[in-house]
Amino acid sequence: MTGGAIEAEVAVIGAGIIGASCAWHLAAAGIRTVLLDASGPAAGSSGACDGYVSVSTKTSATALDLAAASQALYPALVARLPGRTEFETCGGLLLIEDEADEPAVAAHAEAVRGRGLDVRLVGRAELAALEPGIAPGMRGAAFAPGEAKVNPYAMTLALVAGAQGLGARTLWPARVDAVERIGARIAGLSTTAGMVRAEQYVFAAGAASAALGALAGVVLPVEPRRGELAVTERTAAAPRRVLVSGRYLAAKSRPEAAAGDADAETRLGYGFVAETTATGQCVLGSTRVFAGFGRTVSPEGLATIIAGALRRYPALAGTRVLRAFAGLRPFVPDQKPLIGRSRILDNLIVATGHEGDGITLAPITGRAVAALAAGRTPEIDLSPFDPDRFTPCQP
Ligand SMILES: Cc1cc2nc3c(=O)[nH]c(=O)nc-3n(C[C@H](O)[C@H](O)[C@H](O)COP(=O)(O)OP(=O)(O)OC[C@H]3O[C@@H](n4cnc5c(N)ncnc54)[C@H](O)[C@@H]3O)c2cc1C
């Protein structure tokens, strides 16, 4: 402490899965780290989402590459963490609902296979054998046996506990209210828990990253894209693999298509997802809407999720829905995360904007951020994720 300030080599702002992974990788590299959060770990989207660690739900070549690299890191990372994460290689099915879906899912499977993943198309009969609860009308699926799932809340807590075990300090509740700048450097953070001073700073504030960036004078155009989920009681009818409708990909990649459409599924950006938790409950998702920072579940969203799930997975009929919640995906207009060292502020590293992929992308993001902080070149090419790409050119 200097003048009452908390000091570290690196201060990470945001204890969602991205900030927690950054803190763990920094601490594992022997860097003195403080991780702080306005509320606490997993208070944001990381505590209100599915846990599909997936390559096949990524919609661009860049996203597929990044997801494949990150998914490959998961088994070794979870093996090093204390406590449970419920990580499991369960396999995934990208469903073909009708004839119109077929070419898109087949082309997508080919692109995923190009990243070295085992994916094959299965027809109606094999799909029914794999998952008997699926609606008989489904035409088939792209089956990826290597896809995985994790409990996102437990994973975030395990990363935090792991970072603490490696010597990282944690601080919450500590909301950053002001950023002190001296020239092109951050000199300190004024937080609700006092001043924090570090040599380098990592901004990992999820959907609230635009406001945090503005405090420091950097443009981080992250918008909250709300997603609602419903959770059933424990049921023997729950699927073994993670199920995603092929149309989920369209809902994810075309934000402009939704608003104003007469069909509720299209209007709400609905994509069918069903994932079974370690307790045997079924998590059903999800919607995708731009509706500010509210996290209320809308009756229309919940009704659409339940009706959509029963249409595609009728085995859940008679299963009770116990609860519903909403999370805010950190959306960036060009649908690529912001990961890298800022050129506006010398000692700022940005790690945000992972939209619906942050659980999958946490390991690779944390690893790249730790490399940058240590002055090393990350193993992956971060140029597509340049955090300054939305900043107007300086005269
Ligand atoms: C319905 C839904 C389903 C999803 N399913 C999946 C999935 O299956 N697979 C997948 O890979 N991803 C999924 N996601 C996406 C995933 O949840 C997010 O990409 C990920 O959680 C983002 O993590 P984060 O750490 O960036 O943000 P968050 O988890 O939101 O964490 C940000 C943290 O920053 C803190 N913070 C903000 N401002 C400040 C400040 N000024 N001072 C201090 N702290 C601050 C907040 O309190 C918060 O804890 C889903 C998301 C939703 C909504």
Side-chain angles (χ1 to χ4, degrees), residues 13-19 37-40 43-46 48-52 174-176 204-206 208 212 227 229 286 327-330 354-360:
I13 298 94
I17 197 163
I18 298 298
D37 196 281
S39 305
S45 186
S46 306
C49 62
D50 287 300
Y52 195 20
R175 192 182 63 245
V176 175
L212 181 62
L229 292 165
S286 62
L328 302 175
R329 302 178 185 91
H354 296 75
E355 212 267 352
D357 304 325
I359 306 308
T360 306

Side-chain angles (χ1 to χ4, degrees), residues 148-168:
K149 63 185 176 185
V150 72
N151 177 329
Y153 190 83
M155 179 69 188
T156 307
L157 297 187
L159 284 162
V160 169
Q164 287 169 327
L166 292 165

Side-chain angles (χ1 to χ4, degrees), residues 10-14 18-19 22-23 26 33-36 186 189 198 200-205 212 340 347-352 365 369-370 373:
V10 178
V12 180
I13 298 94
I18 298 298
C22 292
L26 287 160
T33 301
V34 60
L35 172 65
L36 56 106
I186 296 176
L189 306 172
Q200 304 189 70
Y201 298 83
V202 178
F203 283 6
L212 181 62
N347 59 347
L348 172 63
I349 298 170
V350 177
T352 189
T365 304
V369 164

Side-chain angles (χ1 to χ4, degrees), residues 17 51-55 67-68 70-91 145-156 158 242 275-278 359-361 363:
I17 197 163
Y52 195 20
V53 178
S54 146
V55 179
S70 199
Q71 191 189 62
L73 297 173
Y74 246 98
L77 177 58
V78 295
R80 291 184 65 185
L81 298 179
R84 67 190 176 94
T85 61
E86 294 164 19
F87 177 79
E88 186 195 338
T89 302
C90 56
E147 297 276 70
K149 63 185 176 185
V150 72
N151 177 329
Y153 190 83
M155 179 69 188
T156 307
V242 179
E275 189 182 303
T276 304
T277 66
I359 306 308
T360 306
L361 300 178

